[in-house]
Amino acid sequence: MGKGWCLFFLFWPVAAVVSCAMAPMVGWSFPYDNAQAASNLGIRIDGLFYLILLVTAVVFVGTQAVLVYALWRGSNNRDERATYTHGNHKLELIWSIIPGVILLFLALYQMNLWADFRIKKYFPEAAVKAPIAEVTARQFEWRFRYPAIGKKLQPKPQADDLYSVNELHVPFGKPVMIQLRSEDVQHSFFLPALRIKQDALPGLQIPVWFEANKEGVYDLVCAELCGWGHYKMKAHVIVESEADYQNYLKNLTQQQFYDGLGKIAANENDSESEATEK
Amino acid sequence: MSVVHPSPTGLQPILKPQAHHAPGNFFTKYIFSTDHKIIAIQFLFTTLLMLIVGGALALAVRWQLAFPWESMPIVGPWLFSAEAGQISPEFYTMLFTMHATVMIFLVIIPILAGTFGNLLIPLMIGADDMAFPKLNMLSYWFIWPAIICFGMSFAYAGGPAAGWTAYPVLADLAQAAPGSGTAQTLWLLGVTFVGFSSMMGSINYMTTIINMRAPGMTFFRLPLTIWGLFITAILQAFALPVLTAGGFMQVTDRLLGTCFFYPSGLIINNADPTIGGGQPLLWQHLFWFYSHPAVYIMLLPVMGMISDMLSCMVRKPIFGYRPMIFSMSAIASLGFIVWGHHMFTSGMNPAVGMAFMVATMMIALPSAVKTFNWTATVWGGKVEFNTVTLNCIGFLSMFVVGGLSGIFMAAIPVDVYFHDTYFIVAHFHYVLFGATLFGVFAGIQFWFPKMFGRMMNEKLGKTHFLLTFIGANGTFFPMHFLGMQGMPRRYADPYLHGYLEHLLPMNQFMTISAILMGSAQILLFINIFYSMFFGPKAGRNPWNATTLEWTAPSPPPHGNFDEPPIIFHGPNEYAVHNGDKDFLLQTEKECEPPKPSDSETENNTDNDQETSS
């Protein structure tokens, strides 16, 4: 019966490794186009993931194989007594130092990636200078505020700002930055395709930058519990060419400031009246 | 009992337990008992009852994920006839909040510290009871106000709906969501009561272990179980006050409007809370300063218990006794400085994240050392596949998976993607269900004879293990894939989003596995209740184990030992020549165990190195 149990315990690591190996083929891996991130930074993050996966897979297979082998031998052991040993100092040193070095390497290896990702000093300058939108999360929708064409995003809402709900347009091929905030409770800005996640904290304005490298419509979801409707904060990020993006902004301007007579109402002179309407 | 024994180390217990009389009637013997063994059994039954509750809540969550918005069978129409038996999103948030709350605060922490801590500490160190028996009794009875608070929150106030982490502002302002009202206040109160209970326990354990060890029981002769419980008690004592303080701050926020945790200018339900000036991040720091060490509170006792049980089951001394202690201490001390890894995406200064990342990476090291040591303990042993062994190996293999997936969490850029997805859920279920509960199952089976004087049924135990292990892996392993595909936690209906639509079949598979796993627990309950009354009678030492509790009768009488024990050596002397036995009780000094030599490598399977008498 002991052998049966050994096989039982052998089965699980084998099943785990096989299912992980075939995950990309059956679509169990990262979302969208062949599990490839839609941003260069995302591709680097995936690279780090696969590196860690490799390390952990080797450790996992190794420890499980040794464990099952030890069990197999142990269940065969017909000796009167087991081996008497209290341990081995050399072995302890070896298996402390080797994982220690690997872990330290992994820790140091990812520092640059993290700095590029989140430390503001390392953000692309162009993106920092001109945030393209302010993203406000609220129960249970996403609101976007763009500056008027040719203007810069101001911390306070401006009369000629453009607004949209649950649909964020961004140009691809260049780094863009958004200002993230929350109006009520805590939310989290999660763009799985771009491997972006940042909590929106009430009371804080958090800059987030990303650079999409291909066109597409990507899901934007909320990753931090924000109440009963948490699951239905459904929005899209539409990544398009610079020309399409400018077109979109133009259309948005026209829609928003159309006064019913076929004219565009908003200009610098009558922006005050628009502001009071809001 | 007042015989003074010569102590080989000159060590005498400093503190004698308060003389408490043997219990008289049924009431003082079984209900308000101050006997640590009865309190352990009270904890055991209470936590097992709560395990059923927590498991039922989990199955309800899984039902919604497999068959969203479909009427829940059997209990659905009865519970919420208004919604035709459907789980509403409000109810769903309450379900997972309460599942986590019940499992963490009412099952895992009390079953480890309460049941095994109470049962084993006095027995394993050779004391006749805890240092503070009445405090001990109170620590059990404070579980009940907590259960009542949680129950009232659930039954009368609609249930708390802010997750077990209770992040502000959702949990801090009554109008933030259905479930953020009175239910949340009751929930906070319940957590505080559980905190009182744990605190009383941990003070008692620390005092008992430090002061009441039998003569000869030096710190480095303590069984690893006691080391695990001791370090856990220290963790509790230092981390818990922070959560309690945070909890009080949240209560005053809610009831008195102190606004520690919410800033001004919020617009919730179109109502502006006029004052503010707080910061939600503050709660996260306070909360995780307790709740990250709490992860180890839920793991370290099991690590200790597994060490003793595994060593007994393979008839070998534990490999690297001192490294095991040092690694437990390292886990505990690092456990205090890694709380920030729960907050990598929170908006906390990202530069601080780097420090937390390095510390978190390093905490994997002592865990790895322990795993290697357990494996080396099995190596060259004599393995008999009984229920205890199986559950120990189940612990070991699940812990490896949970530990390794923790490395992904520690790597911040990867964690940013995985944070709050099912990958995290997979990770902590592998650790908390996979590792901890298998350890608990092994522990129940192993110490059952000491609790009730009877053995548990092997066939039932093995079947229970088999089904639970299959069910657990079937439920929790696919969660890694859900996480890879970006499925966030706590979604009542993930299929609403285009990129998650195709996950329904995988979720259904997991739910079926979860039902299998849940049903398997019926076997555990049958086994416990059947064996309590009809199991074969156990002698003093049915496992041929070495530690002190096995020198006492099963079950031990009031006062535990026939005479105060004296200890001569460390806890795991197996594979020795002691007459016709291969083990040496800690109280036996006849046989000098062979000296372990450094040249002796783990490859020595033959017994040619035996140098004993």
Side-chain angles (χ1 to χ4, degrees):
Chain A
M1 195 52 213
K3 301 246 167 39
W5 285 112
C6 292
L7 292 176
F8 177 76
F9 284 114
L10 185 65
F11 168 77
W12 296 97
V14 172
V17 170
V18 168
S19 59
C20 285
M22 63 180 226
M25 282 176 266
V26 291
W28 292 357
S29 190
F30 291 117
Y32 303 103
D33 299 344
N34 298 322
Q36 175 131 69
S39 70
N40 294 331
L41 203 74
I43 292 171
R44 282 171 67 193
I45 293 175
D46 292 357
L48 179 63
F49 169 81
Y50 288 120
L51 175 70
I52 298 175
L53 187 64
L54 187 73
V55 172
T56 50
V58 170
V59 176
F60 176 64
V61 172
T63 50
Q64 296 294 302
V66 172
L67 179 64
V68 170
Y69 179 65
L71 287 172
W72 183 278
R73 268 185 17 162
S75 63
N76 270 344
N77 196 342
R78 294 281 164 267
D79 294 334
E80 206 180 326
R81 287 178 179 80
T83 319
Y84 183 85
T85 170
H86 270 285
N88 185 311
H89 191 62
K90 260 187 223 150
L91 270 177
E92 299 281 356
L93 276 182
I94 291 170
W95 65 44
S96 310
I97 291 172
I98 292 177
V101 170
I102 293 173
L103 289 167
L104 201 62
F105 164 76
L106 284 177
L108 298 177
Y109 176 79
Q110 59 187 292
M111 290 262 184
N112 283 334
L113 178 52
W114 178 243
D116 291 346
F117 192 5
R118 290 295 305 134
I119 309 269
K120 209 171 174 188
K121 209 169 82 183
Y122 295 89
F123 282 13
E125 218 173 300
V128 177
K129 274 188 183 151
I132 63 156
E134 181 190 70
V135 177
T136 306
R138 68 192 288 264
Q139 289 173 327
F140 297 99
E141 65 182 16
W142 299 93
R143 294 188 165 183
F144 306 105
R145 177 169 72 89
Y146 309 90
I149 298 171
K151 290 199 179 168
K152 276 195 175 176
L153 186 73
Q154 301 299 321
K156 288 259 156 75
Q158 302 295 306
D160 53 357
D161 280 344
L162 305 171
Y163 292 89
S164 69
V165 174
N166 286 345
E167 200 178 291
L168 175 69
H169 286 247
V170 294
F172 81 94
K174 70 173 198 183
V176 295
M177 198 176 91
I178 55 157
Q179 294 286 358
L180 186 62
R181 50 185 291 270
S182 162
E183 191 179 283
D184 39 40
V185 302
Q186 198 174 327
H187 301 270
S188 187
F189 180 86
F190 182 26
L191 262 175
L194 276 72
R195 318 286 189 258
I196 295 280
K197 187 179 285 141
Q198 175 59 51
D199 289 4
L201 244 73
L204 287 185
Q205 202 168 49
I206 302 169
V208 179
W209 82 274
F210 52 91
E211 182 186 342
N213 59 13
K214 55 189 167 201
E215 288 183 64
V217 180
Y218 301 115
D219 293 87
L220 165 61
V221 296
C222 175
E224 189 64 73
L225 179 65
C226 57
W228 67 273
H230 173 47
Y231 67 100
K232 58 175 193 176
M233 280 185 70
K234 183 178 177 172
H236 290 107
V237 171
I238 292 139
V239 178
E240 56 199 7
S241 65
E242 182 70 37
D244 285 347
Y245 172 66
Q246 293 301 338
N247 258 340
Y248 169 75
L249 287 184
K250 260 180 218 150
N251 285 338
L252 203 61
T253 316
Q254 271 178 8
Q255 275 170 25
Q256 203 161 314
F257 298 107
Y258 177 63
D259 66 353
L261 295 169
K263 286 187 216 153
I264 304 250
N267 56 45
E268 270 162 40
N269 300 330
D270 56 3
S271 59
E272 283 304 305
S273 60
E274 283 291 327
T276 47
E277 259 175 49
K278 286 242 139 44
Chain B
M1 294 288 284
S2 58
V3 184
V4 177
H5 287 264
S7 158
T9 56
L11 193 97
Q12 293 288 342
I14 298 163
L15 195 73
K16 290 280 175 200
Q18 300 148 356
H20 58 288
H21 303 286
N25 55 32
F26 176 84
F27 195 66
T28 50
K29 187 169 179 195
Y30 292 113
I31 313 289
F32 292 102
S33 171
T34 52
D35 188 329
H36 69 101
K37 299 176 292 290
I38 300 293
I39 296 171
I41 290 167
Q42 289 174 326
F43 264 114
L44 179 69
F45 287 141
T46 312
T47 48
L48 286 177
L49 180 75
M50 288 298 129
L51 185 68
I52 301 177
V53 175
L57 291 165
L59 288 183
V61 169
R62 288 271 16 132
W63 173 264
Q64 168 70 8
L65 286 170
F67 308 101
W69 316 122
E70 279 178 38
S71 174
M72 207 171 23
I74 310 166
V75 286
W78 171 67
L79 265 183
F80 9 87
S81 46
E83 292 97 358
Q86 282 179 355
I87 293 175
S88 63
E90 294 92 324
F91 190 68
Y92 182 80
T93 53
M94 190 279 279
L95 279 177
F96 62 70
T97 303
M98 285 312 288
H99 164 62
T101 308
V102 168
M103 285 301 194
I104 291 170
F105 292 117
L106 298 180
V107 178
I108 296 181
I109 294 181
I111 207 171
L112 292 178
T115 306
F116 292 108
N118 265 312
L119 178 74
L120 298 176
I121 289 176
L123 280 172
M124 278 185 154
I125 65 172
D128 53 3
D129 206 328
M130 287 285 180
F132 311 117
K134 289 213 176 76
L135 196 66
N136 206 18
M137 177 184 79
L138 264 187
S139 89
Y140 169 71
W141 285 106
F142 261 70
I143 287 281
W144 281 99
I147 293 175
I148 290 166
C149 281
F150 290 140
M152 269 166 55
S153 158
F154 173 80
Y156 297 109
W164 84 279
T165 53
Y167 276 7
V169 175
L170 191 60
D172 209 34
L173 284 171
Q175 65 267 40
S180 296
T182 319
Q184 192 62 32
T185 312
L186 283 168
W187 183 88
L188 283 162
L189 218 59
V191 171
T192 311
F193 278 120
V194 180
F196 285 157
S197 160
S198 295
M199 189 49 99
M200 288 185 234
S202 74
I203 291 166
N204 220 340
Y205 300 163
M206 283 194 290
T207 315
T208 309
I209 295 171
I210 293 172
N211 285 329
M212 291 174 60
R213 282 165 292 128
M217 182 63 94
T218 60
F219 269 101
F220 282 120
R221 284 178 184 173
L222 285 176
L224 287 172
T225 304
I226 299 301
W227 268 107
L229 289 161
F230 184 45
I231 294 171
T232 301
I234 297 173
L235 272 179
Q236 293 251 31
F238 284 96
L240 195 59
V242 179
L243 179 74
T244 312
F248 274 123
M249 286 157 85
Q250 210 176 82
V251 169
T252 57
D253 264 17
R254 303 173 53 78
L255 300 180
L256 308 174
T258 45
C259 44
F260 290 110
F261 299 130
Y262 59 86
S264 46
L266 299 185
I267 305 161
I268 290 175
N269 284 348
N270 298 321
D272 190 5
T274 48
I275 42 168
Q279 173 53 266
L281 266 183
L282 174 60
W283 168 262
Q284 297 191 21
H285 283 295
L286 295 177
F287 179 81
W288 288 115
F289 186 81
Y290 166 73
S291 294
H292 192 79
V295 173
Y296 302 110
I297 292 169
M298 295 182 255
L299 194 60
L300 284 170
V302 178
M303 288 177 155
M305 282 153 51
I306 288 289
S307 307
D308 282 338
M309 288 187 280
L310 200 62
S311 157
C312 174
M313 287 304 145
V314 302
R315 315 305 300 164
K316 270 187 73 191
I318 190 79
F319 195 91
Y321 172 79
R322 287 194 185 209
M324 290 300 248
I325 296 170
F326 298 143
S327 57
M328 275 199 269
S329 316
I331 289 174
S333 35
L334 281 170
F336 274 115
I337 55 168
V338 297
W339 80 89
H341 71 222
H342 297 268
M343 299 165 62
F344 285 154
T345 67
S346 70
M348 161 185 86
N349 182 348
V352 179
M354 288 193 177
F356 282 123
M357 180 258 287
V358 177
T360 308
M361 279 282 177
M362 284 303 127
I363 212 167
L365 185 57
S367 316
V369 168
K370 297 194 81 70
T371 310
F372 296 143
N373 274 324
W374 285 317
T375 314
T377 305
V378 178
W379 190 279
K382 276 168 70 78
V383 183
E384 187 204 339
F385 284 94
N386 58 27
T387 316
V388 181
T389 319
L390 290 175
N391 279 302
C392 288
I393 304 299
F395 161 90
L396 205 46
S397 38
M398 301 282 273
F399 176 69
V400 169
V401 179
L404 288 174
S405 61
I407 297 178
F408 294 92
M409 255 97 275
I412 325 183
V414 179
D415 177 77
V416 164
Y417 180 72
F418 284 134
H419 186 82
D420 266 326
T421 67
Y422 259 80
F423 199 89
I424 307 285
V425 183
H427 165 70
F428 66 67
H429 278 94
Y430 261 93
V431 178
L432 291 186
F433 185 98
T436 304
L437 274 187
F438 278 113
V440 166
F441 295 150
I444 291 177
Q445 189 96 14
F446 189 72
W447 279 292
F448 193 85
K450 206 39 73 180
M451 275 190 259
F452 299 105
R454 287 173 189 272
M455 303 296 285
M456 278 173 86
N457 187 299
E458 275 293 316
K459 274 211 178 90
L460 271 174
K462 280 182 182 169
T463 320
H464 166 251
F465 167 77
L466 189 75
L467 296 179
T468 310
F469 195 79
I470 295 171
N473 278 297
T475 311
F476 302 132
F477 200 75
M479 285 181 177
H480 292 110
F481 296 121
L482 294 184
M484 286 264 316
Q485 291 163 93
M487 178 172 152
R489 294 161 77 173
R490 298 163 169 166
Y491 268 28
D493 183 4
Y495 320 107
L496 201 68
H497 301 275
Y499 77 110
L500 299 172
E501 259 171 1
H502 63 288
L503 291 179
L504 188 63
M506 192 181 268
N507 272 305
Q508 286 172 338
F509 171 77
M510 290 160 64
T511 299
I512 293 164
S513 305
I515 292 171
L516 173 77
M517 178 169 67
S519 333
Q521 304 320 308
I522 296 170
L523 295 180
L524 176 73
F525 288 97
I526 294 177
N527 199 351
I528 288 178
F529 286 104
Y530 176 82
S531 309
M532 243 173 82
F533 300 108
F534 306 110
K537 287 224 160 148
R540 285 189 181 220
N541 193 357
W543 306 109
N544 289 337
T546 54
T547 39
L548 269 186
E549 76 271 31
W550 303 108
T551 61
S554 305
H558 191 74
N560 293 345
F561 297 97
D562 308 330
E563 53 185 63
I566 304 167
I567 284 78
F568 295 100
H569 46 75
N572 308 111
E573 292 299 321
Y574 296 102
V576 295
H577 284 258
N578 181 24
D580 52 352
K581 297 188 299 182
D582 69 338
F583 67 101
L584 194 63
L585 281 160
Q586 280 191 281
T587 48
E588 288 178 298
K589 63 174 171 181
E590 283 80 33
C591 152
E592 275 295 309
K595 282 245 155 57
S597 65
D598 273 357
S599 61
E600 186 176 309
T601 66
E602 39 132 32
N603 290 325
N604 274 315
T605 50
D606 315 322
N607 288 350
D608 52 6
Q609 298 237 351
E610 286 155 2
T611 53
S612 65
S613 55

